[in-house]
Amino acid sequence: YVQPFDRWFNLHVYPSPKGLSIFATDITESVKMEQALRQEREYTDSIINSLPGVFYMIDFEGRKIRWNKNLEVLTHFTPDEIGRMKAVDFFPPEEQQYIHDRIQQVFNEGAADAEPHYLAKDGTRRLFYFSAFRLVIDDVPYVIGTGIDVSEREKAQQERARLASILEVTPDFVAIFNQKKQFLYLNRSAGKAMNVYDEEVLPFLAIENYLTDWANKLIDEEAIPVAMEKGTWRGELAWKGENGREIPLSQVLLVHKDKDGAVQYISTISRDISEQKRAEMDLKHLNLQLRRLSARIEEVREDERKLIAREIHDELGQQFTSFKMDMSWLRSVHS
């Protein structure tokens, strides 16, 4: 190929009786088209490789005919290995039929999504969310789509499920409410204490309806403001029980904020301390009785001391009187 004066030619050189014969064919347009196609592919590749997840293009046989670098990094398979594998080979055996059905759905209906576990070369599994649609090129259908790693979301869901299972069996009252003090969540113990068994009514319930007047004042003027500033507040409140009876609670408020510092919700953990309060009252009553008993014992002791002193005084007085009489008699005898 030669390129004189910004044009491309295909040269064919042949020997001839007079020397060499050169035949030149102008291929400028085809070269420019090839360059444009190459630039377009490089541009497309740069876009595909810049995607945050994986990109794939699958033919009707289920083979990947195009993918981005993220797929190689994620699965640890080489490009040659990926080119020989079918789409279902990237998933655990128990999920392969599910993936096959989803691919067929794309070919038949035009679009589908899926949430399987991607299987790496070393056996590592990661949960992915895939979205795909049908693309027809030169009357040939393909599946094209992207996948996003949602493993962290799965872990978070599992952690939330474990936490929820713990919260549901704890005897403490656990609740979540928003800044309007409307309930968003009640665990089983709290729901039972408040006679609330339907989650759908939670948005219509406010925490202030279940607190006593003095407790509502305390939570508005101290508990929530302190929790907003410091992140947490601890203290004692009281819920309204049956027949207006106060239920004393040991309570903790926690304010949950997003990364920008905006309040998302407030959670609270409460414990019925009625028995503790009764025990404290019993202890106070017992202490009062003990103090009274101690005072009475001291009074008895003082009375006994006085009685003994009086008896000693009387006895000594009698002895002294007798002694005086004896002395008088002796004097009278000797005189």
Side-chain angles (χ1 to χ4, degrees):
Y1 297 99
V2 294
Q3 187 189 17
F5 310 110
D6 295 328
R7 298 193 67 83
W8 290 88
F9 290 88
N10 187 7
L11 301 179
H12 297 274
V13 181
Y14 301 96
S16 67
K18 297 182 178 180
L20 296 175
S21 297
I22 300 175
F23 296 91
T25 303
D26 190 340
I27 57 172
T28 302
E29 293 304 319
S30 62
V31 169
K32 288 183 177 180
M33 185 176 296
E34 183 179 323
Q35 290 176 337
L37 290 174
R38 184 168 58 253
Q39 291 175 352
E40 182 67 23
R41 184 177 181 84
E42 290 175 353
Y43 175 71
T44 304
D45 286 343
S46 66
I47 294 176
I48 292 174
N49 288 324
S50 66
L51 294 174
V54 298
F55 170 85
Y56 54 90
M57 186 173 181
I58 304 171
D59 63 15
F60 193 75
E61 298 297 325
R63 298 188 182 279
K64 284 185 168 59
I65 62 173
R66 197 168 182 187
W67 57 87
N68 63 352
K69 290 292 183 181
N70 283 343
L71 179 61
E72 300 171 14
V73 173
L74 172 71
T75 63
H76 306 299
F77 288 110
T78 66
D80 290 339
E81 290 172 327
I82 294 175
R84 294 192 299 268
M85 297 168 67
K86 289 190 175 182
V88 295
D89 296 333
F90 293 90
F91 302 93
E94 65 273 15
E95 296 183 357
Q96 290 183 357
Q97 185 61 47
Y98 166 68
I99 293 300
H100 177 271
D101 294 341
R102 281 293 189 268
I103 292 175
Q104 292 306 309
Q105 182 179 345
V106 177
F107 281 118
N108 296 332
E109 301 178 13
D113 58 5
E115 198 166 293
H117 291 85
Y118 234 163
L119 187 63
K121 191 174 183 179
D122 60 2
T124 303
R125 299 186 182 198
R126 298 188 68 84
L127 185 67
F128 261 69
Y129 171 75
F130 292 97
S131 178
F133 62 93
R134 183 179 58 219
L135 177 67
V136 179
I137 302 176
D138 295 332
D139 297 328
V140 178
Y142 298 94
V143 172
I144 187 171
T146 57
I148 299 176
D149 188 345
V150 292
S151 299
E152 294 304 319
R153 187 199 68 186
E154 182 184 34
K155 291 180 182 178
Q157 290 175 340
Q158 292 174 348
E159 289 297 327
R160 283 196 294 268
R162 282 193 288 268
L163 178 60
S165 65
I166 295 173
L167 295 180
E168 286 303 306
V169 299
T170 181
D172 292 338
F173 306 149
V174 181
I176 297 174
F177 55 93
N178 56 24
Q179 287 184 272
K180 296 180 180 180
K181 295 188 292 186
Q182 296 170 319
F183 286 110
L184 305 175
Y185 168 80
L186 293 175
N187 74 337
R188 189 177 305 168
S189 297
K192 183 178 180 180
M194 298 166 58
N195 293 319
V196 177
Y197 301 96
D198 187 355
E199 293 183 356
E200 294 183 359
V201 304
L202 289 181
F204 304 100
L205 304 178
I207 191 172
E208 57 194 17
N209 296 329
Y210 294 89
L211 294 176
T212 62
D213 292 340
W214 69 265
N216 270 315
K217 184 177 180 181
L218 179 63
I219 202 170
D220 287 336
E221 296 180 0
E222 178 185 327
I224 291 181
V226 170
M228 288 289 187
E229 179 183 355
K230 299 183 178 180
T232 183
W233 175 86
R234 297 174 183 271
E236 292 186 6
L237 297 174
W239 281 16
K240 295 177 182 177
E242 296 179 358
N243 301 321
R245 181 176 66 89
E246 285 193 7
I247 301 176
L249 300 175
S250 172
Q251 192 137 358
V252 178
L253 293 185
L254 300 170
V255 173
H256 303 264
K257 301 179 181 180
D258 61 20
K259 62 180 181 180
D260 297 321
V263 176
Q264 294 180 301
Y265 55 87
I266 303 171
S267 64
T268 178
I269 303 174
S270 308
R271 177 171 295 177
D272 186 344
I273 55 175
S274 300
E275 292 297 327
Q276 177 182 331
K277 289 295 184 181
R278 279 193 288 269
E280 290 176 356
M281 291 300 296
D282 291 343
L283 182 60
K284 288 181 180 178
H285 182 65
L286 178 60
N287 288 335
L288 178 60
Q289 289 181 322
L290 290 175
R291 285 195 297 270
R292 288 176 177 174
L293 178 60
S294 178
R296 179 57 184 160
I297 291 174
E298 189 62 31
E299 288 178 2
V300 171
R301 287 177 177 174
E302 183 63 25
D303 290 342
E304 288 180 348
R305 285 195 293 268
K306 290 179 180 179
L307 179 60
I308 292 171
R310 187 179 301 113
E311 290 177 350
I312 292 173
H313 179 270
D314 293 344
E315 182 67 24
L316 289 175
Q318 292 176 2
Q319 293 292 333
F320 185 69
T321 300
S322 176
F323 177 74
K324 288 175 64 178
M325 292 175 65
D326 290 340
M327 290 296 295
S328 297
W329 178 78
L330 289 173
R331 281 195 298 268
S332 64
V333 171
H334 290 289
S335 60

